[in-house]
Amino acid sequence: MIVLNKLYNKFDFVGIVNSTICTVHCIATPVLIGLGATFLESLIFAYLFVAIAFVSIFIAAKKTTSIKIKTALWISFVGLAVSLLLEDKWEGFEYTGYLFSTSTIITHIVNIKHCRKCNKR
């Protein structure tokens, strides 16, 4: 059972790393595009970040016993996905993307702590 819990925690870590890289990508892209790295504008990156976020949140939410954490994970995912996919429509989505990316990181950390507390019982 402990091995299975460690596997699920890895998906929380994947979610944290994915959201962190996504945030760094979003912050650095304007500068890098100005330097000529136009390939970073591709929607492939946004789709990749959303796909990895979905998998990590799906598995983490499936494992956690806390309804509040499940709800927070899915709200973070939906907000992040909408923000990433519609940021060309309104510049405010760029900032909501940062917010939801940060909330995804925080919620995964809370879930890791929650899972550790449950395993000690």
Side-chain angles (χ1 to χ4, degrees), residues 37-55:
T38 57
F39 69 93
L40 291 172
E41 279 185 304
S42 174
L43 282 178
I44 292 171
F45 288 106
Y47 293 141
L48 182 63
F49 289 131
V50 169
I52 293 170
F54 175 79
V55 171

Side-chain angles (χ1 to χ4, degrees), residues 77-93:
F77 171 74
V78 171
L80 180 63
V82 168
S83 297
L84 288 177
L85 299 175
L86 296 178
E87 70 183 354
D88 290 339
K89 306 294 181 195
W90 177 56
E91 66 183 45
F93 281 127

Side-chain angles (χ1 to χ4, degrees), residues 60-104:
K62 183 177 174 183
K63 175 62 180 151
T64 191
T65 56
S66 171
I67 298 295
K68 290 179 182 179
I69 293 174
K70 283 182 189 186
T71 304
L73 283 168
W74 284 114
I75 289 171
S76 297
F77 171 74
V78 171
L80 180 63
V82 168
S83 297
L84 288 177
L85 299 175
L86 296 178
E87 70 183 354
D88 290 339
K89 306 294 181 195
W90 177 56
E91 66 183 45
F93 281 127
E94 181 178 341
Y95 302 108
T96 60
Y98 298 143
L99 172 74
F100 286 114
S101 184
T102 303
S103 71
T104 300

